Amino acid sequence: MNNKIIEKKMFEKVREAEKNTKINQDPYKLGFHLMPPTGWLNDPNGLCQFKGVYHVFFQYSPFDAEGGDKFWGHYVSKDMISWEYKGPIMGPDTPYDKDGVYSGSTFVEDGKMYIYYTGNVKESGNHDYITSGRGANVLLVTSEDGENFSDKQLLITNEDYPSNYTCHIRDPKVWKEDGVYYMVLGGRENIDGTEFSDIGKVLVYSSDDLKNWKLENEIAGKERFGYMWECPDMIDLNGSKFLSISPQGLESEEFKYQNVHQSGYYPLEGDFRKEYFLGNFVEWDMGFDFYAPQSFVDEKGRVILIGWMGLPDIDYTNKTLEYGWQHGLTLPRELSVKDGIVLQNPIEELKKIRKSEEEIELNEEIALDGLYELELNSIGKSIDKLKMIISKGLEVSYDKETSILKMEFKNDIGAGRDVRKAKLQSLDKIHMFVDKSSIEIFVNNGKMVLTTRFYPEQYTLEIIADENIESRLWNLAPEEMKF
Ligand code: FRU
């Protein structure tokens, strides 16, 4: 259905913008995280391993670093360490996605990629684009080689959705179970026409042929939990199910929901097609910059999660704007489950970029070069008190007495970021990655993660602790990605 001539013209314009990128001059360019070649990036999309190759697509606005019409950009890798940027694969070039090729997923079967995504359409006229004026189509594109992509096929339109929903329905994630294909879509129900009654929900569709879809169920919290759920994902870890969502509209609390929008998971018991029970909602990440994650199962059977290292509608900023780009993706995190909690740990492969290992002295400031990995392990008993002063402006501290883990910017290296707090009963381990303008801190073997962007003038680290803590530090040497 897409007009390949229009598409070609659009892609040429994207390539032109990419040729003029300033990203390679930016001291805050990321060293081992995926980022846009120029302009704006948001959600990871279509994650899969296909015929041995890892594919990461992403929401991409190449012409405007503050966001604009969405394309899908495309990275491939054989090892999730060195990535090759392949260019845009889809742009807003049909009547069914003319205002954005929105988020979606890839389902792989019999040597074929099935890419499902939301085609965003804004009709002209006087609309609020919530209750009217917006088309939220599900479209399909296929590929046999991961390089050439078929025409777009329209599968689901607004008419197919239940009438008690607003037109905010999007982000299809597809999987197969018990011989049937399933798709979850994030939605915003509205019962009585007033804005305050909007409820975030997930729509579950089923199909026998990957093309014709019928509504199977709706999933919601026992009580209203935000007005909109974006980017749903059904994750299976050793037979336990978790429903991941990115809810909008949660009230901020001292130790919870501190960002403008959240993302997290519910343990799901029972049958998602019929009667189900949702457990307690757990946030994926307690830092300033994390949203809209997506998982996939790789050919080894690992379940891997990648998030957007950024958020929409934030009141802090990113200094990378000076170089015409914004945001990145998190490191791939391998998921596992322990006592009902999902653990997230950086993939094994990352060890390959370690250059040199050193032990570091506690209570002494050391100078670093902006690409490093740190591990702190308690010896004998859990840690009572710890403070890490990172680049003279970010303090990460823990106090067992109060059970508070805190990430706090003390000056403007956070570009407007202030403080995030989490309750943590005990601290045994910190595993941290610093990549020029990003930090990811994995706590207690991935029970909690804190991700943030930051913009330091120098890279220093001081670990303040009285106790017996084993520390290891690696300088990292990733292959440089040139755009
Ligand atoms: C989440 C999101 C999705 C949507 C996409 C558009 O960040 O709002 O719901 O498909 O971004 O870029």
Side-chain angles (χ1 to χ4, degrees), residues 42-43 59 70 102-103 170-171 230-231 291-292 308:
N42 56 298
D43 315 354
Q59 286 286 286
K70 302 291 160 67
Y102 274 16
S103 285
R170 55 180 168 262
D171 311 333
E230 295 192 313
C231 301
Y291 192 62
W308 170 20

Side-chain angles (χ1 to χ4, degrees), residues 187-236:
R188 173 170 178 166
E189 191 188 29
N190 180 290
I191 299 164
D192 63 6
T194 71
E195 192 187 324
F196 302 105
S197 69
D198 289 2
I199 303 174
K201 287 194 172 180
V202 162
L203 296 169
V204 183
Y205 283 78
S206 68
S207 171
D208 294 325
D209 61 4
L210 289 164
K211 297 216 167 119
N212 296 290
W213 295 87
K214 79 168 205 292
L215 184 65
E216 195 74 37
N217 203 2
E218 288 171 59
I219 303 183
K222 267 201 289 296
E223 283 159 20
R224 179 179 186 268
F225 194 67
Y227 60 79
M228 169 72 193
W229 286 3
E230 295 192 313
C231 301
D233 194 354
M234 193 69 81
I235 302 176
D236 192 305

